[in-house]
Amino acid sequence: VIMYGDFTSSYDSTVTISTNFHPDKFVIGDFNKDGLNDIAYIDTSSGILSVIFAKSKFEFYPEIVLFKKDNIKDVTNYSDKLITGAAVIDSKGNLYFISGIKRGTFDYDISIGSVPAELKPFDYRNDGKFDLCFCDDYNNNFVVLTRDKYGIPSNYYSYPLFEHHSRVFIDDTKPFNKTFYFYEPGKKLIEIVKINFKNDKFERSSLYTPGGIKDLRIKSE
């Protein structure tokens, strides 16, 4: 619970944030450079670093798990000439620096999931700049990263799936409208997620096959 103080020390304005893990330590900073204070926290038992971005002064987006590392112990704000963000240290002395990606950077690491499985490229604009998607085995969410015209990841989407899937097939033919087919070899469920990237709308449906799935292909007529 965040209690906002005023000149009368009333603390009447409060905001409650639900977290998926236990915040052992947190730091406050403007991690996405939008002028609002965000919250980053670690759960040392789970090894999770999670960030909660502010939507406005009194509103926050659902949290995003940035990574899962064993034996993380502490988190702090960090800033130098190149990096402005958060730093995490583990029990072996390894340091992990988390910051935004600057324009003109051509070599960088993305940390945006706990246990990413089967990273897949696609092109949501059909302009030759590939975007990325994957299923996070840790929380069974489907995660999508789209890039801007400079090639920098700019938009993040996370969508919960009904069941665990190790395979995804993408219908990438239409710009801005993409269809993702999820399945697990040997099982009967095909989970279908359609995304309209122009209006950020998701639509989900399911198909069941008579027998266990061996492979999946799409044919358009």
Side-chain angles (χ1 to χ4, degrees):
V1 177
I2 301 174
M3 295 175 287
Y4 294 89
D6 55 27
F7 69 95
T8 63
S9 300
S10 62
Y11 294 95
D12 290 333
S13 298
T14 63
V15 173
T16 301
I17 299 175
S18 297
T19 60
N20 295 322
F21 305 92
H22 182 269
D24 291 308
K25 184 173 182 179
F26 68 90
V27 292
I28 298 172
D30 184 5
F31 300 119
N32 57 353
K33 303 304 172 192
D34 63 352
L36 299 170
N37 282 326
D38 312 306
I39 302 169
Y41 77 86
I42 57 170
D43 181 332
T44 56
S45 60
S46 300
I48 291 294
L49 170 66
S50 194
V51 64
I52 304 166
F53 289 109
K55 185 185 295 186
S56 65
K57 185 178 179 180
F58 299 107
E59 292 183 289
F60 292 85
Y61 291 103
E63 69 178 285
I64 298 173
V65 176
L66 293 186
F67 67 49
K68 184 180 187 303
K69 299 285 186 182
D70 293 333
N71 303 313
I72 60 174
K73 296 297 181 183
D74 203 359
V75 61
T76 186
N77 288 319
Y78 181 85
S79 180
D80 62 16
K81 292 181 179 180
L82 299 177
I83 299 173
T84 301
V88 176
I89 192 169
D90 65 18
S91 59
K92 296 182 179 180
N94 295 312
L95 279 169
Y96 306 95
F97 297 100
I98 306 297
S99 69
I101 301 170
K102 295 182 179 179
R103 189 183 304 176
T105 302
F106 298 102
D107 186 12
Y108 52 81
D109 295 325
I110 298 175
S111 183
I112 205 72
S114 304
V115 188
E118 194 172 22
L119 187 70
K120 285 279 190 175
F122 71 102
D123 185 358
Y124 92 97
R125 288 194 191 94
N126 287 27
D127 61 355
K129 292 184 175 65
F130 284 102
D131 310 286
L132 299 172
C133 67
F134 63 88
C135 293
D136 194 332
D137 282 348
Y138 194 77
N139 54 16
N140 206 36
N141 281 359
F142 175 52
V143 175
V144 178
L145 288 173
T146 61
R147 302 195 298 166
D148 62 18
K149 62 181 180 179
Y150 303 104
I152 296 177
S154 57
N155 290 313
Y156 168 92
Y157 303 85
S158 181
Y159 194 73
L161 299 175
F162 286 131
E163 292 190 14
H164 172 86
H165 307 281
S166 64
R167 305 285 177 83
V168 55
F169 187 93
I170 306 170
D171 183 354
D172 199 16
T173 54
K174 298 178 181 178
F176 300 104
N177 289 279
K178 306 298 180 182
T179 305
F180 302 84
Y181 299 83
F182 304 91
Y183 67 100
E184 180 70 24
K187 294 188 176 181
K188 301 179 179 182
L189 172 65
I190 302 173
E191 198 166 344
I192 304 167
V193 176
K194 296 181 179 180
I195 306 178
N196 184 323
F197 286 99
K198 277 193 173 180
N199 54 24
D200 296 334
K201 286 191 176 180
F202 285 68
E203 180 184 337
R204 175 162 51 191
S205 59
S206 299
L207 294 173
Y208 286 90
T209 60
I213 300 170
K214 293 289 187 181
D215 201 355
L216 184 148
R217 291 292 183 270
I218 304 299
K219 180 178 180 180
S220 298
E221 294 185 0

